[in-house]
Amino acid sequence: MAHTHPATPAPAAPGQTAPARGTSMVAAPGQAASAPGQAAPPAPQAASAQSAPVLAAPGLAPLAQSEPALAAPVRAGSALAAPAQAVPVPVQAAPPAAQAASGQSAPVMATSVMAAPAQGTSMVAASAPAAPPAPQATLAQAPLRLAASGQATAPAQSAPVPAAPAQAVPAPVRPCYAPGDGQVWHLLRLVPGPDIAVAAAASLLAVGPERAALLLERLAGGGLCERTAPGRYRPRPAPPAHPAGVRPGDGAALRRLAGHYLHTAHHADRLLAPHRPELPLAPLEPGCIPERFVSREAALAWLDEEHHTLAAIREAARDRGERWTVFHLAACLNGHYVRRGHTAPQQRQWADALRAAHALGDPEAQITAHRYAGQAASRAGRHPEALAHLHRAVRIAERHGRPGPQAWAYYILAWTEEMAGEDAAALTHAICAAGLFARAQQWRAQADALNAAGWYFTRLGDPVQAGRYCARALDLARRHRYLGGQAAALDSLGLLAQANGRHEDAVRAFTAALDHCRTLGNTYQEAGALDRLGDSYAATGRPADARTVWGSAAAVYRAQDRLEEAASVERRLTALA
């Protein structure tokens, strides 16, 4: 039997497993690619800020100003191509002023130039000690010419110098970039998390998504970034000469990034559970453009893809002392962690949010943080710690006096008491929560509390009262189009039918519950429904069907680290064989 709840300011839902195992389960309600940027030729004047346009975006300074040691590109043009062959060419050093402007060191080197086929461009391939410079032939005065054959030749007026060694040793190819790329690269290196998507980068850089895609693609083509997946990028590590440091505008860029993830997560959470109230989020920084989703599937996919980055954003906000951001991110992500069975991340986020809530001194935030810290601890099997959190939430809620927060505190306290084996206390608190939810006119939450009370009546040996409460819960959930509540109540009614030997009724109830779980993306409750459906299949003489659903249940249990449930299913699979 299952019971569930939709989250209020902090979404979550406890869950149930099969009654024979005495556990409960949770139901959460639910480019156009651009070639690397063109750069001026490596003449002394190429390093001046006047020779290249500045990116038209806040905080994106010209590269010549922001990254002086990277200001001279190896070559201009499109992405680096494999050279056809190398021809030793005598090249003499530029005057000291040119060397300083291009970021090159003083020692003079003779360079072997490789010609890229069909591109008419060249790049540094090898270097060797050169003869003393001839003042009449500098790099600026004697540009290389490409012969018709595609090989590079030196100008006729170049002074003869000793030939390069026969076997040139390849040197590492330096990145190709354009003015302004150094500042983009710098901001990308500040991003928490494994990588960044184009839409988030647009908010970080305060540019449009198309412009962000072009910048990221250009950096990837020039070697400053790497693509981790389609539309996702990671900056390459900086050499020791270019530490990250702090620059003006970094704080605003990181606030834009945090705002992007927070507002996008809030939108995704409300799309998955539309009954949840709006959170009082801080206004967006200028230039921040959160994402919007057109379907539940898109919202779920984004949360699955970004939950590691969202955790890193929360930790960065915690370190910067942005307490409301920490709390609101936990509130937005709790439902997703419950649906997907991510108990360890749920515990970490509420440990941070609990400290933030007490530092803020906000009673409702403290109630929310304690009740979901208790829920996470109970899901991890730490029931004494969970009960301590929940009793603290109840005390604050009773002082606070509003029925909604009190109801939530009692509801999750009941679930935690059940997990600790205190069924009588759990029943009392579930009935109390249902009454308070009715006073607060939170009808979907009331459906969850009624279903929870029905489950506790079952555990206490009163199937008649259990059926009444679960039927009321199902009716209320259907009237308010609450799929999460319907799934939980159907699961409970399936268990009651199973206990009374009505296995065909149980199969129908579990199958309907399973459909709702899959619609919601609630893999945590889905595993329990599969588990119990297998029991009914086995009882009605359908071992092949039982084997199929039990195999699926065991796989989901193990993926969610619910090892006791997985072992129980695997024992029944072995007995079935």
Side-chain angles (χ1 to χ4, degrees):
M1 183 173 297
H3 63 87
T4 179
H5 65 87
T8 49
Q16 299 283 17
T17 57
R21 294 179 293 285
T23 57
S24 63
M25 69 190 288
V26 176
Q31 73 217 96
S34 169
Q38 300 294 329
Q45 64 271 24
S48 67
Q50 292 82 2
S51 63
V54 178
L55 290 176
L60 302 188
L63 180 61
Q65 298 172 3
S66 61
E67 296 285 353
L70 293 176
V74 174
R75 69 180 183 91
S78 59
L80 297 176
Q85 54 184 311
V87 179
V89 178
V91 179
Q92 296 188 359
Q99 295 175 3
S102 64
Q104 298 177 356
S105 56
V108 180
M109 309 290 283
T111 307
S112 172
V113 177
M114 312 279 270
Q119 298 225 5
T121 56
S122 61
M123 66 179 178
V124 175
S127 60
Q136 71 275 16
T138 65
L139 186 62
Q141 295 167 331
L144 300 177
R145 297 197 305 269
L146 294 178
S149 64
Q151 297 184 2
T153 61
Q157 67 271 26
S158 298
V161 296
Q167 298 294 329
V169 178
V173 178
R174 290 172 57 192
C176 181
Y177 45 84
D181 288 356
Q183 177 67 0
V184 176
W185 184 47
H186 165 76
L187 290 175
L188 291 175
R189 288 155 59 199
L190 303 180
V191 173
D195 55 12
I196 190 169
V198 169
S203 291
L204 174 75
L205 303 173
V207 298
E210 292 184 1
R211 177 64 172 159
L214 291 173
L215 289 169
L216 290 167
E217 189 63 23
R218 191 170 72 197
L219 264 63
L224 295 177
C225 279
E226 59 182 324
R227 302 176 193 87
T228 58
R232 302 190 70 86
Y233 298 82
R234 175 171 57 216
R236 293 189 183 276
H242 299 281
V246 178
R247 298 180 181 178
D250 287 356
L254 290 174
R255 287 193 298 274
R256 288 195 300 271
L257 186 69
H260 175 94
Y261 281 110
L262 175 56
H263 282 258
T264 304
H266 185 227
H267 173 69
D269 186 54
R270 284 185 54 76
L271 186 61
L272 294 167
H275 59 281
R276 291 185 188 160
E278 291 278 358
L279 291 176
L281 304 181
L284 291 169
E285 292 273 337
C288 177
I289 308 173
E291 298 172 66
R292 291 292 180 263
F293 306 105
V294 296
S295 67
R296 295 176 51 84
E297 293 75 18
L300 278 169
W302 185 85
L303 288 166
D304 282 333
E305 184 175 46
E306 297 287 5
H307 78 270
H308 291 297
T309 299
L310 286 161
I313 291 290
R314 185 198 73 248
E315 291 166 2
R318 175 200 64 199
D319 295 342
R320 293 195 302 269
E322 297 172 3
R323 298 186 181 105
W324 277 119
T325 298
V326 171
F327 177 79
H328 285 147
L329 274 171
C332 291
L333 290 177
N334 195 73
H336 185 68
Y337 286 156
V338 168
R339 278 187 296 271
R340 295 310 202 203
H342 298 325
T343 302
Q346 186 190 15
Q347 290 177 270
R348 289 192 292 270
Q349 76 165 8
W350 285 113
D352 288 343
L354 190 59
R355 287 189 289 269
H358 280 285
L360 289 165
D362 185 276
E364 196 156 341
Q366 291 169 16
I367 296 166
T368 299
H370 274 294
R371 76 176 187 244
Y372 288 126
Q375 182 197 45
S378 187
R379 286 163 65 95
R382 302 205 305 268
H383 303 305
E385 177 186 338
L387 287 170
H389 278 299
L390 268 299
H391 283 298
R392 179 79 179 275
V394 165
R395 288 195 299 272
I396 300 171
E398 288 171 347
R399 290 199 305 269
H400 193 50
R402 291 175 56 191
Q406 281 184 270
W408 281 110
Y410 284 132
Y411 175 69
I412 298 186
L413 176 60
W415 179 78
T416 306
E417 287 168 335
E418 175 221 331
M419 298 293 284
E422 300 177 12
D423 294 331
L427 175 61
T428 299
H429 286 124
I431 293 174
C432 183
L436 288 168
F437 281 133
R439 283 178 54 195
Q441 297 186 344
Q442 295 185 22
W443 310 117
R444 298 185 181 198
Q446 185 192 12
D448 292 334
L450 290 170
N451 182 62
W455 165 237
Y456 303 138
F457 273 121
T458 301
R459 289 172 63 93
L460 292 168
D462 191 342
V464 175
Q465 283 285 69
R468 289 173 181 167
Y469 272 82
C470 292
R472 285 177 61 193
L474 180 60
D475 179 64
L476 192 59
R478 282 175 171 164
R479 280 193 281 128
H480 291 276
R481 300 181 181 180
Y482 174 30
L483 290 184
Q486 292 178 51
L490 285 164
D491 188 79
S492 299
L493 290 168
L495 276 168
L496 284 170
Q498 201 175 64
N500 293 325
R502 297 182 287 109
H503 292 290
E504 290 299 337
D505 290 342
V507 166
R508 285 191 289 273
F510 290 137
T511 301
L514 189 60
D515 289 342
H516 290 324
C517 291
R518 286 173 172 165
T519 299
L520 294 166
N522 190 335
T523 56
Y524 192 95
Q525 187 174 353
E526 178 185 346
L530 287 166
D531 186 344
R532 290 180 277 281
L533 180 58
D535 289 337
S536 289
Y537 279 147
T540 54
R542 298 160 68 179
D545 291 334
R547 186 176 295 107
T548 299
V549 295
W550 276 342
S552 299
V556 178
Y557 280 145
R558 290 206 171 273
Q560 296 173 354
D561 291 327
R562 297 162 68 183
L563 303 183
E564 290 185 11
E565 292 100 321
S568 174
V569 172
E570 287 161 356
R571 284 193 296 271
R572 279 172 278 156
L573 274 169
T574 302
L576 190 65

